[in-house]
Amino acid sequence: MSHSLFYLLSFITLFFALLVVFAKNPIHSALYMVMTFFAITCQYLILNAQFLAIVNFIVYMGAIMVLILFSIMFLNLNQDTEPQKSSLLKFAGVISAGLLMLTLVGAIVKTGGGDVPFELVNSNIGLVKNLGKVLFNEFLLPFEIASVLLLSAMVGAVLLAKKDIN
Amino acid sequence: MNSLTNRKKVLESKKMNFWERIYLPAILHGLSITMKHFFKKKTTIYYPEQKREFSENFRGLHSLKRDENGAERCTACGLCALSCPAEAITMTAAERKPGEEHLYREEKYASVYEINMLRCIFCGFCEEACPKAAIFLDGDIAKAGYKRDEFIFGKDKLVEPIVK
Amino acid sequence: MDIAFIIEKLILISAILAISLVIAMYTTLAERKFAGFFQDRVGPNRAGPWGLLQPLADGVKLFTKEEIIPTHAGTFLFVLGPSLSMFTACITTAVIPWGQDLFLFGRNISLQVADINVGVLYVFGVVSLGVYGVMIGGWASNNKFSLLAAVRSASQNISYEIAMGLSIIALLMMTGTLSLREISEQQSGMNWNIFYQPLGFLIFMICSFAETNRTPFDLPECETELVGGHHTEYSSMKLGFYLFAEYINMFVSSAIMASLYFGGYNYPGMHLISNPNVAALIGVAAFFTKILLFIFFFIWVRWTVPRFRYDQLMKLGWKVLIPLAIINIALTGAGILFFGK
Ligand code: SF4
Ligand code: SF4
C-alpha cells in the first residue's frame, strides 16, 4: 500500500519537476513547482513526518512560491522577451546538471540505498513533540546557530534594501 | 498674504498623542457610532407602496388638458416642440371637422402628439411656452420600462381622461 | 474503518459543507441588510419576506449571466483561480471541532471531521494556499488591474501570515498542543483563552481581517483604485465563486477565532447538564452563536472603518503587529515561568 503510494507520489513529483524545467512560460513553471512541492509534502506525510509536511506546505508552497510568483509577475517574462542564451551556456548547463546527477546517483548507490524505499526506524520521530525535543536537546546548538544565521541574513537584506545607510 | 474674507482657518497638524496613535479608541468610537445608527428609526420610504409627497413645483409626467366642456385645448401650434431643448415633442396637426366641436376646442388640433420620455429632461419649457394652457407637467414620476417604444407617450397616455 | 464510520464521516462532511454554504449564503444577505441598518436604511426586502430569498435570487442571477473568458487569458488558469479560492475556503472546516462527542446508536460520534494533531498548522497551510486563487486568477485575466490586485493580495497575505503565526505561538505556548480539539477541551466552562491572551487575540483578529480580505484591508479588490481588483474580468458564477469564497472564509475564520480564543463549544455551566447528548448539542449551538457574533462583528467593522492605504497596511503589518506579537510571546513566556499557567 504505502510502497505503491510512494511510487505514485515519486512519479508525480518527477513529472511536475520535469514540467518545471520544460515549461515555456515562467508562470507555468512556478505553478508546476508548487505541484512538485505538494507531492513532496505528501511524501513527508507517508513518512509520518507531520510537522515537516505542514511546514513544507506553509513555507514552501505558501510563502516562497508566492514570492517567486510575485516577482515573476513583476518581470513580465514571456516567450518573446526571454533573452536567447548562447549555445555554449546551454552546453555548460547540461554538463553541470549531468555531473550533479551523477554525483547523486553515485552517492545513493554507495550508501547502499537498495530497491526498498527508505523506512524510518522510529516512525514517531516526525511528530511535533518528538521533533521539538530532539531539536531543543540534542541539536540545540546547531539550531540556534542556524537561527542566528537567518537573522544576520535578514539584517543584511534590510541593509541592502535601505537607500541610504547613514 | 491677507485673505479676502479673513475667514480662513489655518489647520494645525499637531502630533498625535499615544492614544490617537494606537488607533483603537478611535475605531471603538466609530463602532459605537455605527451601532447607534443600527437601532435608529429607518428613514426609508417603501417606494411603490408608499410615496413621498411631491413639492409644489414638482415636474412629473406631462398631461394634455381639456377645457371645462371636455374638449382638448391643444391647437397644435408647435410652440412647445419649438421650445423643447431636448426635442422630445413631435406632433401632426389636423383640421377639425364639423360636428367635432365637443372634442377639440380650436379649429386646428393635434391628431398625433408624442413625447419621447427618454429624451425629455422635465424642464417644463413646454408648459411655459403653451399659449393655450394645454400642457402641464403635473403627473407622476416617469415609469420604468423594458423597451424603448414604451417610452414614447402618445395621446392615449397624455390626454387627461374626461372628468364627468 | 467499518462502514458505519465511513457513513458517519460522510454525513458529517456533507452536513458541514451544507451548513457553511448556507451560512455563507445568508451572510451575503446579512451583510447587505446590516449595511442598510448601519446607514439608516432597511436593506433588501423584496425577494420573499424580509428579503429572505435574496441569496437565491442572487445565485440565479449569477448562474444565468453570460460566461465571458477574455481572449488573451489563459483559459485553464482562468478557471482554476476561482475554483481554487472556493476549494481552499471549504477544506479548512475539516479540522474544526464543532462540538463534543455524541452518543448515538451505541456509538461515539465525534463532531470533527479529522482530529489531526497539527490542526492549527493545517489551518495555516490552507490559509497560505488561499492566496493562490487570487494570484492565479489575477494573473490569468491578462489585465493590469487584476495583476496589481494579485500582487497586492500576495504581499498582504504573506505579511499578515507572519504576525498571525507569531500571535498564535503565544497561545500554543500555553496550550502545549496543536490539535484544535485539545485546545477546545482545555477551555471547558469559562476557562477561555481570551482571558489569558487578550493581546494575542487582538493581533490574531486583525490578521484574520487581512487574510480574508475584508475591509479595512480589502485592498485586493479596492474599487476606487483597481476597478474590481482580481475579479475585474470575471463574470457569471466564476465571479460568484470569488465573492462566495470570501464569505466562507469569513465563516471559517470566525469559527477558528471562536475555537481558539472563545472556548469553542464550551459554555458556562456545561457540567451541570447530566445528559451528554443534550450538553453536546447545546455546545454546538453555543459555538454557532459565537461564530455568528463574529460574523456580525466582521460586517460591523466593514461598515465602520474605511480602507487603509497600502503603505499604511504594510506599516501596520510589519512595524506594529509583528513586534507586538513578539512582545506578546515574551510576556506569555514570562507568565508561564512565574505563574506556571
Ligand atoms: S419638459 Fe422640457 S424637455 Fe420635456 S417635453 Fe417639455 S420642453 Fe421638452
Ligand atoms: S401643447 Fe400648447 S404649445 Fe404645444 S402645440 Fe398644443 S397648444 Fe401649442
Side-chain angles (χ1 to χ4, degrees):
Chain A
M1 171 68 187
S2 105
H3 280 193
S4 50
L5 205 62
F6 168 78
Y7 285 118
L8 180 70
L9 279 174
S10 312
F11 172 73
I12 295 175
T13 316
L14 289 179
F15 178 72
F16 280 111
L18 285 178
L19 278 181
V20 174
V21 182
F22 290 125
K24 282 261 159 54
N25 189 325
I27 295 268
H28 292 173
S29 272
L31 291 177
Y32 290 133
M33 186 104 131
V34 176
M35 288 308 295
T36 317
F37 280 137
F38 183 68
I40 293 177
T41 301
C42 296
Q43 298 273 30
Y44 281 129
L45 272 186
I46 56 174
L47 283 177
N48 207 11
Q50 293 176 350
F51 184 73
L52 265 188
I54 286 284
V55 166
N56 187 54
F57 195 83
I58 297 177
V59 174
Y60 281 89
M61 281 177 73
I64 293 185
M65 283 320 294
V66 169
L67 280 182
I68 289 182
L69 263 181
F70 183 93
S71 34
I72 293 177
M73 282 179 181
F74 269 135
L75 293 180
N76 189 24
L77 293 173
N78 47 39
Q79 274 137 290
D80 322 322
T81 56
E82 196 180 359
Q84 287 304 310
K85 313 234 169 44
S86 71
S87 44
L88 185 72
L89 228 84
K90 280 183 193 162
F91 192 65
V94 169
I95 295 274
S96 50
L99 281 179
L100 179 65
M101 187 170 147
L102 219 67
T103 326
L104 284 180
V105 170
I108 291 169
V109 169
K110 249 292 176 330
T111 47
D115 33 28
V116 185
F118 183 67
E119 277 187 28
L120 288 174
V121 189
N122 175 6
S123 66
N124 282 336
I125 191 78
L127 299 186
V128 186
K129 236 178 208 128
N130 303 330
L131 196 70
K133 287 219 174 91
V134 171
L135 267 186
F136 284 97
N137 286 326
E138 291 165 43
F139 299 106
L140 183 61
L141 190 65
F143 183 74
E144 290 301 330
I145 289 176
S147 62
V148 170
L149 194 71
L150 285 178
L151 190 68
S152 56
M154 205 158 84
V155 173
V158 171
L159 264 184
L160 283 180
K162 252 196 140 86
K163 279 197 195 88
D164 51 317
I165 301 166
N166 42 354
Chain B
M1 201 181 88
N2 279 335
S3 67
L4 287 174
T5 54
N6 278 332
R7 268 186 291 171
K8 95 172 166 199
K9 246 189 242 164
V10 179
L11 285 179
E12 48 179 327
S13 58
K14 60 175 176 6
K15 247 184 140 38
M16 288 194 285
N17 65 26
F18 176 74
W19 286 109
E20 283 165 341
R21 250 184 309 137
I22 62 169
Y23 204 60
L24 284 175
I27 288 183
L28 290 181
H29 184 59
L31 286 175
S32 72
I33 290 177
T34 38
M35 204 19 108
K36 240 181 268 155
H37 281 268
F38 194 84
F39 296 110
K40 256 202 186 149
K41 207 176 154 293
K42 309 300 170 210
T43 50
T44 306
I45 293 169
Y46 296 78
Y47 166 61
E49 295 100 42
Q50 293 173 7
K51 254 185 210 161
R52 203 194 180 105
E53 260 184 48
F54 292 144
S55 81
E56 201 105 308
N57 48 4
F58 174 80
R59 294 193 293 266
L61 286 177
H62 313 61
S63 69
L64 288 171
K65 296 294 175 196
R66 295 174 189 275
D67 66 1
E68 51 282 359
N69 303 322
E72 285 174 24
R73 300 181 77 113
C74 171
T75 178
C77 65
L79 284 175
C80 51
L82 197 69
S83 67
C84 177
E87 302 195 359
I89 305 181
T90 50
M91 70 190 73
T92 313
E95 202 175 329
R96 180 180 69 184
K97 304 258 158 44
E100 288 182 336
E101 283 84 0
H102 65 288
L103 288 177
Y104 310 112
R105 204 166 78 141
E106 313 290 337
E107 284 144 37
K108 189 174 148 218
Y109 72 96
S111 60
V112 178
Y113 190 104
E114 285 177 345
I115 300 180
N116 186 342
M117 289 302 171
L118 289 175
R119 297 194 68 123
C120 174
I121 55 173
F122 298 94
C123 62
F125 283 3
C126 46
E127 183 182 295
E128 267 174 50
C130 182
K132 297 285 178 193
I135 189 163
F136 285 95
L137 278 77
D138 54 359
D140 205 348
I141 296 171
K143 290 272 186 302
Y146 286 106
K147 296 208 191 78
R148 288 181 164 254
D149 305 355
E150 293 169 22
F151 289 97
I152 296 179
F153 280 33
K155 272 181 85 170
D156 51 330
K157 288 186 189 155
L158 290 172
V159 179
E160 64 171 1
I162 300 169
V163 258
K164 285 276 138 61
Chain C
M1 274 265 210
D2 50 341
I3 296 291
F5 178 78
I6 294 175
I7 292 176
E8 168 198 317
K9 285 294 174 203
L10 274 182
I11 291 176
L12 187 65
I13 290 173
S14 10
I16 287 173
L17 259 186
I19 289 174
S20 45
L21 289 184
V22 167
I23 286 190
M25 242 166 84
Y26 276 93
T27 313
T28 61
L29 175 65
E31 170 119 75
R32 297 169 60 186
K33 267 280 183 206
F34 292 157
F37 292 164
F38 284 126
Q39 297 165 353
D40 296 345
R41 301 183 282 114
V42 290
N45 62 351
R46 294 286 143 165
W50 304 291
L52 280 182
L53 298 180
Q54 187 69 41
L56 291 182
D58 287 343
V60 170
K61 188 198 83 172
L62 280 171
F63 264 117
T64 49
K65 287 264 168 177
E66 187 187 350
E67 201 58 55
I68 300 171
I69 295 185
T71 345
H72 291 289
T75 316
F76 177 69
L77 291 183
F78 192 75
V79 179
L80 184 69
S83 329
L84 208 61
S85 272
M86 195 73 178
F87 178 70
T88 49
C90 288
I91 55 173
T92 328
T93 48
V95 291
I96 296 171
W98 301 98
Q100 282 168 308
D101 291 358
L102 285 179
F103 296 98
L104 284 182
F105 318 117
R107 292 176 50 83
N108 199 349
I109 296 175
S110 140
L111 290 182
Q112 184 184 20
V113 177
D115 179 23
I116 52 179
N117 60 17
V118 284
V120 178
L121 289 178
Y122 170 84
V123 171
F124 266 93
V126 176
V127 164
S128 64
L129 209 60
V131 68
Y132 278 109
V134 174
M135 280 196 94
I136 291 176
W139 184 78
S141 302
N142 201 11
N143 172 325
K144 281 184 197 120
F145 295 116
S146 305
L147 182 68
L148 274 177
V151 166
R152 272 187 179 189
S153 104
S155 48
Q156 172 179 331
N157 274 39
I158 291 185
S159 315
Y160 278 79
E161 247 162 50
I162 299 172
M164 198 180 207
L166 287 177
S167 74
I168 218 161
I169 282 178
L171 179 75
L172 297 180
M173 280 161 64
M174 284 175 36
T175 59
T177 172
L178 284 168
S179 149
L180 279 168
R181 166 155 229 102
E182 281 171 42
I183 293 179
S184 292
E185 261 159 26
Q186 285 173 2
Q187 311 179 53
S188 69
M190 263 318 254
N191 191 19
W192 298 354
N193 282 330
I194 173 76
F195 304 122
Y196 306 101
Q197 286 287 336
L199 185 60
F201 170 68
L202 189 70
I203 298 168
F204 187 84
M205 193 178 63
I206 295 174
C207 293
S208 43
F209 272 84
E211 294 287 325
T212 48
N213 292 339
R214 292 284 300 178
T215 334
F217 307 110
D218 59 343
L219 285 127
E221 46 184 295
C222 170
E223 298 89 352
T224 40
E225 298 160 21
L226 294 178
V227 193
H230 56 278
H231 49 60
T232 307
E233 297 285 349
Y234 281 90
S235 62
S236 183
M237 209 50 205
K238 293 205 284 307
L239 172 68
F241 266 28
Y242 267 133
L243 303 182
F244 214 61
E246 179 186 325
Y247 287 95
I248 299 182
N249 274 330
M250 215 161 104
F251 168 66
V252 168
S253 51
S254 300
I256 289 172
M257 279 194 280
S259 53
L260 283 183
Y261 288 97
F262 278 82
Y265 49 74
N266 296 297
Y267 51 95
M270 64 194 296
H271 303 293
L272 305 179
I273 300 166
S274 50
N275 187 336
N277 279 348
V278 176
L281 286 181
I282 297 180
V284 175
F287 190 41
F288 274 96
T289 316
K290 288 170 194 169
I291 293 175
L292 294 183
L293 284 178
F294 268 116
I295 291 180
F296 177 76
F297 187 70
F298 267 99
I299 296 173
W300 185 12
V301 168
R302 168 158 182 191
W303 299 105
T304 303
V305 185
R307 185 181 292 134
F308 274 79
R309 217 170 50 211
Y310 198 67
D311 61 322
Q312 292 171 332
L313 172 94
M314 282 297 153
K315 217 181 238 165
L316 179 69
W318 288 97
K319 293 194 182 164
V320 179
L321 290 183
I322 292 179
L324 260 187
I326 292 176
I327 292 174
N328 189 35
I329 290 178
L331 284 182
T332 314
I336 292 175
L337 197 65
F338 292 125
F339 306 111
K341 152 69 181 175

